[in-house]
Amino acid sequence: MKRRPPSLFHLATLIAMAGLLMLVPACDKLKELLPKQPPQQEAPPAPVENPLTAEEEQLQKGMEGEGTFSAKVDFGEVPKALPFELNRSSVVSILLYHDFVERIPRNEMMVSKGVFRAQMQALKDANIPVIPMSDLLAWKKGEKNIPEAAVVITLDDGWVGVHEIAYPILKEFGYPFTLYLYKKYVGGAGRSMTVDQIKEMLANGGELGSHSVSHQAMAQMRRSKSPEQYQAWLHDEIHESKRWLEETFKLPCRTFAYPYGDKNADIVRQVMEAGYDAAVTVNPQKLNWDTHAGELPRFTQLGDQDANFRVATSFYGGGKSIADSRFIKTDAVNEQGEKLVTLKPEPNATIADRLPLIEANLAKIGPIIPETLVLKVGGFGTVLARYDPNTQVVSFRVPQKIRLDSCNVMLSFRRQGADKDELVSWQFKIDKKAAYLPQAAEAAPSAPAPQSPAPPASPKA
């Protein structure tokens, strides 16, 4: 068989292999010329640690615990929120007004503009808080506290004089109020308020109350109807008035005013079962926390004779009313620019001491009659204060820690030769959170200072 001659590819492959064989001896000679590596040594054995002592083991476990080295800083115990304390000792007077005129009232249901303004000014000068009906309801439910002595203003029926005369004065003083309206008189003819006028008042301090549908004596109507007719009528007077008022004014109607104060136990029950939180009468009395919510009393203001107003504002003990006193403003000064009365704690000040010393310096007033001094402190009533005739300083150390966030103080006295008492009233606040801090507790007096009666006779009750 004839052999083929080798291709060019085969010849190139044979030449390359021959070259590689020639390089092997050269690489061996190159290795001889390179520095030789030292022989590899075995790794030394791991050191053996001494066993931990029992104390070291305990320390090790503590250091391995979670959070040992976390970036947490202990700033001490965080004060807990103070528990809410309901003050059940407050006393409230609800004032009842009907209609208003510019000058001389034509009947007892009208009060003149001047007398109404004077009464509102007297409340302000005496520092008697005017609170909304909603605050009174919240207090009755145990949800919030109200001042020790307070007034609620109510306006019945919906006379246009309420909008034209009383409303601007109430806005001026910033006093809240409640409108008691009956359906058939709202927006009617004559001297009734329009829906828009009522909406304006409700948007500026007013709250909504029902005064029935027809304003008829509810208990007496039983005589003119059958038992079935009477119950149907009574249900409508109570329920329909609430529904219509809430639908018309888009506000809750939470209280009811009995027309003419005419009611009985069954009517009171039905009113409360209809979803009202409270109902008001025309009985001239103050109310307290225990007063039945369905029979809250009110003082009706009869014309310009302010006898009921005097009784309603007698929060000072001994029948003393703000209408019986002249007022001294807390910032009043004499001709030399000196304060007439220096008060401690200062008016509107915030203090941490829950056992404060209350003082009133009357030296700039001139000689007074000591036995006319009457000091009343919120939460304690009329108190036995100390009077120093040389310095004319009246003082009283609060004997028990003040529970509320603020404290009202009222002091009345008569100057020698005067025919009327004068009254100064102020309020200070308590920072109860600060009062609970350790430094406040250390600074507070350990025991109240003993009190002495005002010479030559103790203050009036």
Side-chain angles (χ1 to χ4, degrees), residues 109-131:
M109 294 295 101
M110 294 180 173
V111 176
S112 69
K113 179 179 180 179
V115 168
F116 183 66
R117 176 183 287 279
Q119 290 178 347
M120 299 301 101
Q121 185 67 54
L123 292 172
K124 180 180 179 180
D125 291 343
N127 199 29
I128 295 178
V130 178
I131 64 173

Side-chain angles (χ1 to χ4, degrees), residues 223-239:
R223 303 172 185 172
S224 61
K225 300 178 183 294
S226 69
E228 294 78 12
Q229 290 174 332
Y230 174 69
Q231 287 301 323
W233 174 86
L234 190 62
H235 183 276
D236 190 63
E237 292 288 309
I238 297 171
H239 290 260

Side-chain angles (χ1 to χ4, degrees), residues 46-99:
V48 179
E49 296 184 0
N50 295 327
L52 298 177
T53 65
E55 182 179 359
E56 289 172 336
E57 286 184 356
Q58 186 68 25
L59 178 62
Q60 182 72 21
K61 289 180 180 179
M63 294 177 67
E64 292 174 354
E66 294 184 3
T68 301
F69 297 103
S70 61
K72 294 182 180 179
V73 180
D74 184 9
F75 292 103
E77 184 180 357
V78 179
K80 297 180 180 179
L82 300 179
F84 173 72
E85 298 177 81
L86 180 66
N87 177 29
R88 302 187 182 187
S89 65
S90 296
V91 178
V92 180
S93 290
I94 303 179
L95 304 180
L96 163 57
Y97 295 91
H98 288 88
D99 198 4

